[in-house]
Amino acid sequence: MTQVNRLSGGLVDRNSTLSFRFDNRNYTAHPGDTLASALLANDVRLIGRSFKYHRPRGVLTAGSEEPNGIVELRMGNRQEPNTRATTAEVYEGLDARSQNRWPSLKFDALAINDRFSNFLTAGFYYKTFMWPAAFWEKLYEPIIRKAAGLGSLSMEDDPDEYDKGFRHCDLLIIGAGPAGLMAALTAGRAGSEVILADEDFALGGRLNSESFSLGDDSASDWAAATVAELSALPNVRLMPRTTVIGAFDHGIYGAVERTGDHVTALPAGKPRQILWRIYTKRALLCAGATERPIAFENNDRPGIMLASAMRTYANRFATTAAQRVAIFTNNDDGHRTAIDLRAKGVKIAAVIDVRDDAPISYDFEVLKGAQVVDTKGRLGLTFVEVALADGSRRVLECGALGVSGGWNPNVHLTCHHRGRPVWNDDLAAFVPGGDLPPGMTVAGAANGTLSTHGALLSGAEGAAKALGFKGTLPDVPEAEDAPINQTPFWYVKGCARAWLDQQNDVTVKDVKLSHQEGFRSVEHLKRYTTLGMATDQGKTSNMGGLAIMAELAGKSIPETGTTIFRPPYTPVPIATFAGRMKGQDFHPTRLTPSHYWAKERGAVFVEVGNWLRAQWFPLPGETYWRESVDREVRQTRASVGVCDCTTLGKIDVQGTDAAAFLNKVYCNGFAKLAVGKTRYGLMLREDGIAMDDGTAARLAEDHFVVTTTTANAVNVYRHMEFVRQCLFPDMDVQLISTTEAWAQYAVAGPNSRKLLQKIVDPKFDISNDAFPFMGCGNITVCGGLRARLFRISFSGELAFEIAVPSRYGDALMRRLMRDGEEFDVVPYGTEALGVMRIEKGHAAGNELNGTTTALNLGMSRMVSKKKDSIGSTLSEREGLNEPDALMMVGIKPVNADDKVTAGAHLMDASGPADAQHDQGYVTSAAFSPSLDCHIGLAFLKNGGARQGERMRLVSPLTEENVEVEIVSAHFVDPEGERLRA
């Protein structure tokens, strides 16, 4: 198809022709075209369908504020939905498709919704799908889910790379229009480190869209010359195709750079998009302004667009939406569009101006005091109906209509720290308020300065002010400096269906309904009608909705208020936020010192936080995981087993006040703990809830080694640092995390001492008398290697934990396994570790779940009444100490063949099994090789007094109903004889 709507001039490269496809039809374009401009050049106005009513839609704008021209790009695993055709650059072989239609764009079966619009008004889903309740899951929800959404996913893995990066500067300039370019020139020539970021691929902003001059050059030529000078400055970094999406704390701005969306294929290893974290001393917002539409009957037909967008397509992209157009405006800017289009050879049907004092023209007809009251055309505009000032009606034939209702400064980033914009009567728009993100200033149209000369001057002055520069500013070229001349006009009264949010199908009538039903707050209006909740975030619709609500409420627009703006400024692919963190790189993987040895032994690994830990060690012939785990448990309890427990948090606590500090952190006492001894400790949150458990070993009067659970290692260290720095800053105590510094192994089982005696240097006596249960000390192993030894057990067996510097961890594991062959030593993983701790009744992460107390855990006696500690007072609250409080118990099935399921609930032996009669729940469950049946740990109401009672274990989800007996949580060696042997 030929480009029938291509005009002369423009900034596209006519020396080269590109081929692309839209909805399986072939078209041509030129480098410099967007998909929207290329489709308009090829006389394609219908580009999509609206969300709810599936009405035909064409492009409304020429930038990132576009609500209608939302398409799918590319095919297969690189398919991307919901891309704005107005910002997507055309490249050779681009394949684009319309979306939210079936079976085709021209014939969309779901357009039947439009016929039922009276039943599908705003809020209909809040009322319609309430009854009958049984219909929701089987009928309503499937239908809604099938109709919801705009684009579609390929359901294949994205093959492209995404990355993240950091950049630093003295001044970040957001927007490369006249204000941004002038600001960059000022700061760049002054020697400051400058980053100039703009979402467009061609820097210059509106200068590329206008026909006026700057000095002796055209606006676009001046922009190109300025960009060339900035490119040559070593202290200035230009970032086209980069959207600053948010202003965050501490002078940090998020920016998305599209490095590969405009090419056919990316070079290997190159990212498609980069998420930048920009650290800047100062920021200058030059984001420009967005023209707003006027609402009138059927103002959503393809071919109706913003007048400024029409001008952009004509002057920059050398294309027009039709060969005969009309303009509907309330300000002088609409007349500028008509002048530029006529100069390009486009016929002007008329300029319809709501003002009685509108300027006259000798080149086209101006209808003063007139309004567009309706339009015609099924899949594209063909006629507009105009109500003239004398009350008569007139029909104009045209293929496109440019609408100009004034301009809204782009204040979004100024509000990302919850600042509120303020109303400007001259602009009839909100402008940035005084509560800006720290270090930010605003210039140009974004600050309400709409003339080109004013924007240039404010850009230079804004940069100088931001940097504290007091030198001579660069010369500002002569440019248009026309005053604002407009009459606020939001919608044509008396219309039945005038569209505000064209993507979400929100009309003037919907806003009136919201007011009628009491949803009058701007935030309620937004949610009740979905106004401004489309992919454009209301950039073209919010002001119209607010104006109508203000009118209905009898208030001014500033009294009515505006919704809050939040990041991101424009939609960002989830993959960009993830960067390279996907698949195995989703988060950093931490390997234990024995990882490669375990891998050699064929271990099955499991992710535990960021750690990769051996879960079990299968032997040849073992086909089911339980075979391996049961063997590891039995073999450990029969002789000796070794487990890598390096992942446990390890914190060195040193200083003369170390003991006193731990006395504050733990609810039980540590002040009198002897050197060479270890004590089990329970840590409470400030609200009295259990935070973590672990041990503290006293290696010297002023030196403790604290261990934490793997899951809470970071949280506990952070908590202890908070206590040290904020609560007790005068204490002489220092903390350092040594988790990665020491490789630590649990050596458990009756022969654990015999195995360790083979590697511990002879001068250290580790007999039961010399090194009793809960002992600790610095030792040497293997002929002088420094090590630490702790006599602690979480398996219920005679056990030790031995630690050496991490670089010797692998060698120590190999030595233990070699020297332990005579004892039939077995490595055991986290599954066997979990089984043995359940058999012994030790609480772990499932029990320390952030809701339990020392009483629940059976540790209430550990909360010392003789000292003050964090959480001890609030742990005594009445609600946490009720007579029927949950307490940890053990459970066994009456029938040994029955299974105990974690998460199942305990019910009385007879009676209803429902939430009202719930007695407790199972936190941990496992098959016990020692008892040859399933067992579990549970929290049961008044559990301490209910041992021996039979109950039902119920799991509605898995339809289990098992008879169980309540027993002690200590299934194995309840007297503790083994671990003290």
Side-chain angles (χ1 to χ4, degrees):
M1 179 178 288
T2 58
Q3 301 178 35
V4 296
N5 285 336
R6 185 66 75 179
L7 304 176
S8 60
L11 303 181
V12 296
D13 181 6
R14 298 174 188 271
N15 295 321
S16 179
T17 300
L18 304 172
S19 299
F20 72 99
R21 290 168 62 82
F22 179 70
D23 277 353
N24 298 318
R25 295 194 65 179
N26 295 321
Y27 299 96
T28 59
H30 299 297
D33 264 322
T34 63
L35 178 60
S37 69
L39 289 173
L40 290 175
N42 285 278
D43 201 25
V44 177
R45 292 183 296 171
L46 177 62
I47 198 170
R49 293 277 178 166
S50 64
F51 173 67
K52 185 164 66 174
Y53 299 133
H54 288 250
R55 286 173 64 90
R57 290 286 189 263
V59 293
L60 178 69
T61 74
S64 62
E65 65 273 20
E66 175 60 33
N68 293 339
I70 312 297
V71 299
E72 289 179 358
L73 296 185
R74 298 178 290 273
M75 298 286 287
N77 55 10
R78 296 192 69 228
Q79 177 177 318
E80 183 179 15
N82 299 333
T83 303
R84 296 176 296 282
T86 50
T87 60
E89 298 174 57
V90 176
Y91 56 82
E92 180 63 32
L94 173 66
D95 194 340
R97 294 167 306 286
S98 57
Q99 54 188 32
N100 197 44
R101 80 288 188 275
W102 181 84
S104 69
L105 182 58
K106 288 187 176 180
F107 178 78
D108 183 1
L110 284 178
I112 191 69
N113 290 356
D114 198 29
R115 300 296 180 93
F116 295 95
S117 60
N118 288 335
F119 302 98
L120 302 176
T121 56
F124 81 94
Y125 30 80
Y126 298 130
K127 308 168 186 176
T128 309
F129 303 118
M130 302 295 288
W131 181 90
F135 277 30
W136 172 256
E137 193 169 318
K138 296 180 180 179
L139 178 63
Y140 298 149
E141 185 179 18
I143 292 175
I144 292 172
R145 287 194 178 279
K146 188 173 182 63
L150 292 173
S152 61
L153 299 174
S154 68
M155 305 309 292
E156 300 178 35
D157 290 340
D158 186 345
D160 291 330
E161 296 289 338
Y162 299 83
D163 213 340
K164 297 181 181 181
F166 299 83
R167 282 186 171 161
H168 302 77
C169 61
D170 297 322
L171 180 63
L172 169 65
I173 301 172
I174 305 166
L181 289 178
M182 202 67 201
L185 206 59
T186 303
R189 288 177 179 176
S192 298
E193 294 292 328
V194 178
I195 291 178
L196 176 61
D198 193 280
E199 62 184 359
D200 205 335
F201 58 90
L203 302 183
R206 288 298 307 175
L207 296 179
N208 292 326
S209 302
E210 304 295 352
S211 59
F212 54 69
S213 299
L214 266 70
D216 297 329
D217 298 319
S218 68
S220 58
D221 285 345
W222 183 90
T226 303
V227 169
E229 179 179 344
L230 293 172
S231 300
L233 294 176
N235 55 312
V236 176
R237 181 185 294 274
L238 302 181
M239 297 183 68
R241 302 186 179 92
T242 302
T243 303
V244 177
I245 60 172
F248 302 97
D249 292 340
H250 313 300
I252 299 172
Y253 289 79
V256 174
E257 182 179 13
R258 300 177 301 280
T259 55
D261 285 350
H262 59 291
V263 296
T264 304
L266 283 167
K270 295 297 183 181
R272 179 183 157 216
Q273 294 187 3
I274 303 173
L275 178 62
W276 292 103
R277 179 180 289 191
I278 301 176
Y279 293 76
T280 181
K281 296 177 182 178
R282 295 289 184 270
L284 183 61
L285 181 65
C286 305
T290 298
E291 193 171 29
R292 56 186 179 236
I294 299 171
F296 52 88
E297 188 79 10
N298 294 311
N299 62 317
D300 62 330
R301 299 192 191 280
I304 300 176
M305 63 178 65
L306 296 178
S308 62
M310 243 180 211
R311 201 156 72 244
T312 296
Y313 287 120
N315 291 328
R316 175 177 171 181
F317 298 107
T319 188
T320 179
Q323 294 299 322
R324 182 179 175 86
V325 305
I327 305 296
F328 182 28
T329 184
N330 70 341
N331 64 86
D332 289 352
D333 201 68
H335 292 255
R336 183 187 296 174
T337 297
I339 293 170
D340 284 2
L341 288 173
R342 184 183 178 280
K344 292 281 187 177
V346 178
K347 295 180 181 178
I348 307 300
V351 172
I352 303 108
D353 197 318
V354 301
R355 299 172 296 174
D356 293 327
D357 59 347
I360 63 172
S361 173
Y362 298 104
D363 297 319
F364 46 78
E365 184 179 13
V366 177
L367 303 177
K368 297 182 180 183
Q371 301 175 13
V372 175
V373 294
D374 200 359
T375 66
K376 302 294 182 184
R378 191 175 73 87
L379 298 178
L381 182 69
T382 54
F383 296 95
V384 297
E385 185 177 351
V386 181
L388 301 177
D390 60 4
S392 62
R393 297 291 178 99
R394 179 175 169 184
V395 176
L396 300 175
E397 181 181 0
C398 58
L401 175 66
V403 182
S404 179
W407 292 81
N408 294 326
N410 292 325
V411 301
H412 302 67
L413 266 69
T414 69
C415 303
H416 284 182
H417 285 203
R418 300 196 66 81
R420 293 284 185 173
V422 296
W423 183 255
N424 183 302
D425 283 322
D426 293 333
L427 296 180
F430 285 101
V431 298
D435 188 13
L436 301 176
M440 176 186 282
T441 52
V442 190
N447 203 35
T449 304
L450 298 185
S451 74
T452 306
H453 180 268
L456 292 166
L457 183 60
S458 69
E461 292 176 344
K465 179 181 177 182
L467 297 170
F469 173 63
K470 297 181 180 180
T472 303
L473 298 179
D475 292 333
V476 176
E478 292 183 10
E480 67 83 21
D481 197 18
I484 299 168
N485 187 0
Q486 67 175 6
T487 297
F489 189 82
W490 308 102
Y491 72 105
V492 175
K493 291 181 171 58
C495 51
R497 300 183 78 192
W499 306 89
L500 296 169
D501 190 321
Q502 295 198 17
Q503 188 177 122
N504 277 357
D505 284 326
V506 180
T507 65
V508 172
K509 178 183 176 183
D510 292 327
V511 177
K512 293 180 177 179
L513 180 63
S514 177
H515 178 271
Q516 177 183 323
E517 301 210 348
F519 295 93
R520 299 172 184 178
S521 160
V522 291
E523 296 291 351
H524 292 164
L525 167 66
K526 175 180 179 179
R527 286 153 182 81
Y528 185 77
T529 64
T530 71
L531 176 75
M533 294 176 66
T535 57
D536 70 323
Q537 297 183 334
K539 291 182 177 67
T540 59
S541 60
N542 274 353
M543 277 303 304
L546 297 178
I548 295 165
M549 179 59 77
E551 179 182 296
L552 295 170
K555 298 179 179 179
S556 66
I557 294 176
E559 288 175 328
T560 303
T562 181
T563 54
I564 197 72
F565 299 100
R566 301 180 180 90
Y569 176 69
T570 55
V572 178
I574 296 297
T576 305
F577 286 120
R580 296 184 182 271
M581 295 186 295
K582 62 179 181 178
Q584 291 185 340
D585 297 323
F586 180 68
H587 56 74
T589 300
R590 303 167 75 181
L591 305 180
T592 62
S594 66
H595 176 82
Y596 294 104
W597 172 87
K599 192 174 181 180
E600 293 169 12
R601 293 290 291 256
V604 174
F605 293 96
V606 62
E607 290 185 1
V608 182
N610 287 339
W611 290 99
L612 206 58
R613 297 189 69 180
Q615 199 170 13
W616 62 80
F617 294 84
L619 293 180
E622 293 177 347
T623 58
Y624 183 53
W625 69 273
R626 268 271 311 280
E627 295 178 84
S628 304
V629 174
D630 292 354
R631 170 183 52 78
E632 291 169 12
V633 173
R634 291 192 179 101
Q635 208 166 327
T636 297
R637 294 205 183 280
S639 180
V640 61
V642 180
C643 179
D644 191 333
C645 57
T646 301
T647 62
L648 294 174
K650 295 180 280 293
I651 304 170
D652 253 36
V653 183
Q654 299 188 35
T656 56
D657 292 324
F661 175 78
L662 293 180
N663 236 22
K664 297 292 186 182
V665 171
Y666 286 104
C667 65
N668 51 319
F670 281 86
K672 297 181 181 180
L673 181 65
V675 175
K677 290 294 183 180
T678 304
R679 181 165 293 169
Y680 178 81
L682 181 65
M683 192 176 293
L684 304 181
R685 299 189 320 219
E686 291 185 348
D687 60 359
I689 301 296
M691 174 190 290
D692 195 57
D693 70 340
T695 63
R698 192 166 196 171
L699 299 178
E701 284 291 338
D702 58 354
H703 185 191
F704 288 79
V705 174
V706 169
T707 65
T708 74
T709 58
T710 298
N712 283 327
V714 174
N715 291 335
V716 169
Y717 181 65
R718 184 185 294 127
H719 171 68
M720 292 175 68
E721 275 291 357
F722 171 77
V723 173
R724 182 186 74 84
Q725 296 182 37
C726 301
L727 302 185
F728 303 104
D730 296 331
M731 281 191 173
D732 177 22
V733 61
Q734 299 297 325
L735 311 175
I736 187 169
S737 173
T738 59
T739 301
E740 289 89 353
W742 293 87
Q744 194 152 317
Y745 299 97
V747 184
N751 289 319
S752 57
R753 182 183 287 114
K754 294 179 181 179
L755 173 55
L756 285 175
Q757 285 172 335
K758 299 185 71 172
I759 67 167
V760 174
D761 290 344
K763 66 178 180 179
F764 296 99
D765 185 358
I766 62 171
S767 65
N768 193 45
D769 292 333
F771 205 86
F773 179 61
M774 301 302 281
C776 67
N778 290 309
I779 63 170
T780 59
V781 298
C782 304
L785 174 64
R786 66 190 180 100
R788 291 171 176 174
L789 188 64
F790 310 91
R791 174 109 181 256
I792 52 180
S793 174
F794 291 93
S795 62
E797 299 293 335
L798 169 65
F800 300 80
E801 289 187 13
I802 184 169
V804 296
S806 291
R807 61 184 178 276
Y808 300 109
D810 181 81
L812 179 62
M813 185 59 156
R814 296 177 189 274
R815 178 69 178 270
L816 287 169
M817 298 309 296
R818 187 188 71 190
D819 289 355
E821 288 178 359
E822 65 174 285
F823 306 113
D824 197 21
V825 67
V826 62
Y828 64 93
T830 58
E831 284 294 328
L833 178 68
V835 169
M836 288 190 283
R837 75 95 183 165
I838 293 173
E839 290 180 336
K840 185 57 181 172
H842 275 297
N846 292 9
E847 289 72 44
L848 297 164
N849 57 24
T851 66
T852 53
T853 65
L855 176 65
N856 301 146
L857 297 165
M859 302 178 187
S860 57
R861 289 185 296 178
M862 290 182 64
V863 184
S864 174
K865 310 295 183 182
K866 299 179 181 179
K867 69 180 183 74
D868 182 33
S869 62
I870 294 172
S872 60
T873 299
L874 288 182
S875 72
E876 298 176 3
R877 286 178 290 167
E878 184 178 348
L880 300 182
N881 293 274
E882 296 177 346
D884 64 343
L886 295 171
M887 294 191 68
M888 195 169 78
V889 298
I891 56 173
K892 288 176 58 177
V894 173
N895 182 346
D897 293 331
D898 285 338
K899 185 178 179 181
V900 174
T901 304
H905 287 254
L906 289 163
M907 303 288 174
D908 289 330
S910 60
D914 54 33
Q916 290 182 340
H917 296 83
D918 189 9
Q919 298 293 299
Y921 59 96
V922 179
T923 56
S924 300
F927 178 82
S928 169
S930 305
L931 303 178
D932 201 28
C933 69
H934 283 86
I935 61 171
L937 299 179
F939 286 120
L940 176 64
K941 291 181 179 179
N942 195 24
R946 301 178 73 169
Q947 288 192 25
E949 185 177 333
R950 290 196 174 186
M951 305 187 73
R952 284 179 298 159
L953 189 64
V954 176
S955 176
L957 187 65
T958 56
E959 299 183 349
E960 293 183 48
N961 195 322
V962 176
E963 187 179 12
V964 297
E965 181 183 358
I966 306 304
V967 298
S968 167
H970 310 297
F971 296 94
V972 172
D973 190 29
E975 302 301 325
E977 295 177 358
R978 297 185 191 178
L979 52 81
R980 290 181 172 84

